[in-house]
Amino acid sequence: MILVTGASGTVGSEVVKALGGSGAKVRAGYRTRPQNIPKGVESVALDFDSPETVAAALMGVETVFLLSNMVDPERKVVDEAKRAGVKRIVKLSVNGASEEKFTFARWHRAVEKHIEASGVSWTFLRPAGFMQNFFNYMGETIRKQSAFYTASGTTGAGAHIDARDIGAVAARVLTAKGHEGKAYELTGPEVLTYDQAAEILSRAVGRPIKHVSITPDQLKQGALAMGMPEVYADALVDLDRAYSTGRLTAVTPVVKELTGRNPIRFEQFAKDYADKFR
């Protein structure tokens, strides 16, 4: 049995979809059960803040797909998984976690270290920024103002990856042997600046969309105004700093090596999700 945590989120939902046709026994953990769950997938209530739901979700599970941005709750899940006899943890981490040069990397590496120390077999998936974050976090201003805002400057760039590719990789890793003790850096097929991304989105949506550079403080205040906790807003500013200094521009062949197909390009992503920006 494979337990997918965070199954309703951007990546978790794609992992569940990819596993749906694999023939594997899959249990999807949700805080709030969605309407559509792939046929053959078991659903279970799972809230990291409620230990009783974690223990129940782990019953009979051999492999856990661990997903969140919260260090202490993830550590507790790791401990509970070990007690439950889980044999392997596949953790969704972040690109560059091993170097710990920005906040999200340090958070995820802390959990990675905890998993390594637990004695449970592990695999780490370290994706670049999700293409889907363009509509998750920038979609409202793109729709209303035909603009999105970052503090990464005009040179800020990243090798963004489509969450569908992460889901495909995760499904392969979760259902096959030989990935134990490995960390995979997952990226899209190319490095794009935010100005280039704006040009691509403009063509897909059919109207001009601009990337506007703002100050780190403006980015933080905007995140706080959206209701984001301050610690997370600070981490977001630090992430933009990493983009602006070129720390997230490495491109790897891992998606193709593990799935047998090329990763999705940003142009295809923009076409597929154009309605979310209109």
Side-chain angles (χ1 to χ4, degrees), residues 4-203:
V4 179
T5 68
S8 61
T10 298
V11 172
S13 61
E14 294 297 339
V15 175
V16 172
K17 288 178 188 176
L19 286 170
S22 69
K25 293 182 178 179
V26 180
R27 180 180 295 161
Y30 301 98
R31 275 195 173 196
T32 303
R33 191 178 188 276
Q35 294 292 325
N36 299 315
I37 297 174
K39 187 177 180 180
V41 174
E42 176 187 339
S43 67
V44 64
L46 178 58
D47 184 342
F48 284 4
D49 294 328
S50 301
E52 67 278 7
T53 68
V54 175
L58 287 167
M59 290 181 62
V61 168
E62 294 184 355
T63 302
V64 172
F65 183 74
L66 182 60
L67 186 166
S68 87
N69 266 326
M70 303 175 291
V71 177
D72 287 341
E74 282 199 55
R75 285 173 171 159
K76 291 176 181 177
V77 173
V78 172
D79 294 341
E80 191 63 40
K82 183 177 181 178
R83 284 192 289 270
V86 167
K87 292 181 170 56
R88 181 166 62 124
I89 295 173
V90 177
K91 172 177 164 50
L92 186 74
S93 184
V94 69
N95 206 219
S98 61
E99 298 178 358
E100 300 186 63
K101 290 186 177 179
F102 55 97
T103 304
F104 285 121
R106 289 189 288 273
W107 287 355
H108 282 285
R109 183 58 188 146
V111 179
E112 288 183 355
K113 290 176 180 177
H114 192 71
I115 294 170
E116 291 168 350
S118 73
V120 178
S121 181
W122 55 266
T123 306
F124 302 145
L125 304 183
R126 296 170 173 167
F130 312 151
M131 293 179 185
Q132 281 74 4
N133 285 346
F134 278 83
F135 59 74
N136 284 338
Y137 299 113
M138 307 170 185
E140 184 174 3
T141 60
I142 290 174
R143 289 188 295 271
K144 294 180 178 179
Q145 303 172 20
S146 293
F148 62 94
Y149 304 82
T150 79
S152 61
T154 58
T155 59
H160 302 284
I161 184 171
D162 194 301
R164 292 172 291 183
D165 284 331
I166 304 172
V169 168
R172 293 294 179 93
V173 169
L174 287 163
T175 57
K177 296 181 179 180
H179 301 289
E180 296 81 3
K182 295 183 179 180
Y184 295 115
E185 302 284 337
L186 308 177
T187 74
E190 62 189 338
V191 174
L192 290 174
T193 66
Y194 281 112
D195 286 350
Q196 291 171 322
E199 293 174 3
I200 293 169
L201 288 171
S202 298
R203 292 194 294 270

